[in-house]
Amino acid sequence: MVQNRVIMLADFDYFFAQCEELRNPSIKDKPVVVGVYSGRTEDSGAVSTSNYVARKFGVKSGMPLFLAKRKLEGTDAVFFHVDHEYYEQISSRIMNFFKGYVTKLEQVSIDEAYLDVTEQVQGDFEKARNYAQEIKNNIKTQVGISLTIGVGPNKLIAKIACDNQKPDGLTIVKPEDAKNFLAPMPVDRLLGVGKKTTERMQVMGIKTINDLAGYDVQRLIESFGKVLGIYFHNASNGIDNEPVVEQREAESISKIATLKQDTHELSLILQKTDELADYVYKELTERNLNFKQVSIYAVMVDLSGKSRSVTLEQPTKDKGVIKKNVHTLFERFLAESPLEIRRVGVRVSSLGKEQPQQKQLTSFFST
Ligand code: TTP
Ligand code: CA
């Protein structure tokens, strides 16, 4: 028997605004608006997003800021300028977390990713429910961000399931329920069905996804061409074979820092590199990766850069191994180089992942 795929779409709730709440916890119950300010006048620009408190007052993404201000008049609303760099940092922490839970991860935007967890839950949708809940709980406790997850037998269903209940939602659509789940929805819920197509379908008597699913595929092909006709037929029947496409793993994880003072003294250097090793190790564990190579990097007082590496016999996840090798590498390096050092770096590379089937579900959450 061919195993069901189990695909999740994770979408972070009111993302930019939630990031602002994360670093300013006191604003959580107030309307929060994140805007792109054009700078022409104090209020010119548009709303990027807002929290759900602000949405209750009618604030929407894309709305002019002056209008959002008007809607929130008399409230203790807080407005922020977008801070992309900060949101990217939070996003990549969460994406890195996901990598520990999946066989394949496809990031689609700053706040959305598809997770293929078929192997982790052995194709079982009840297990998938617990697994998704654990992912949600863990991201909430470890990063502080709430997210919504839709689970389905393919990307199409996962996406629509995700939109079904927000924020902090979890919707599971089993393969046998997929068709009924889609049936009553208007056709424009399907990706690729925009305003024009909706109008054309309306003329053909197609309003719901169910109408589309029952429509003769040959006639769909005549109206929309072969590629779209077949796509509409399949999508409305809950069929989607698009794989979750994994992005390439970063080849290394590294961190560099400037020393408090230029020095040639091993103990001062090791103080700093131990901190860097902690950072690198944290990122490794978040992404559930092991490494086979450890390197050091040094920027000398004359600003020349030098590096040294060691390759291990076996991949490992051990923090002690990073520190021990960094110590040895610096010890040797200082012996052969008389110049003082200004900046130091630690890098692990030849990264890999344990085979997912060797893991128990719970071991993903044990760190
Ligand atoms: P969305 O996922 O569409 O929205 P959201 O995360 O704010 O809210 P939710 O998922 O709970 O409905 O967009 C993700 C981020 O993209 C959003 O936080 C801000 C940004 N964005 C804009 O800058 N402009 C826009 O018009 C939209 C829709 C989003
Ligand atoms: Ca979102």
Side-chain angles (χ1 to χ4, degrees), residues 146-161:
S146 83
L147 42 93
T148 293
I149 296 184
V151 187
N154 55 48
K155 287 162 83 170
L156 173 111
I157 307 285
K159 166 82 179 147
I160 298 177

Side-chain angles (χ1 to χ4, degrees), residues 14-25:
Y14 62 99
F15 185 51
F16 294 2
Q18 203 187 166
C19 290
E20 295 299 345
E21 288 181 359
L22 186 65
R23 62 176 166 185
N24 312 282

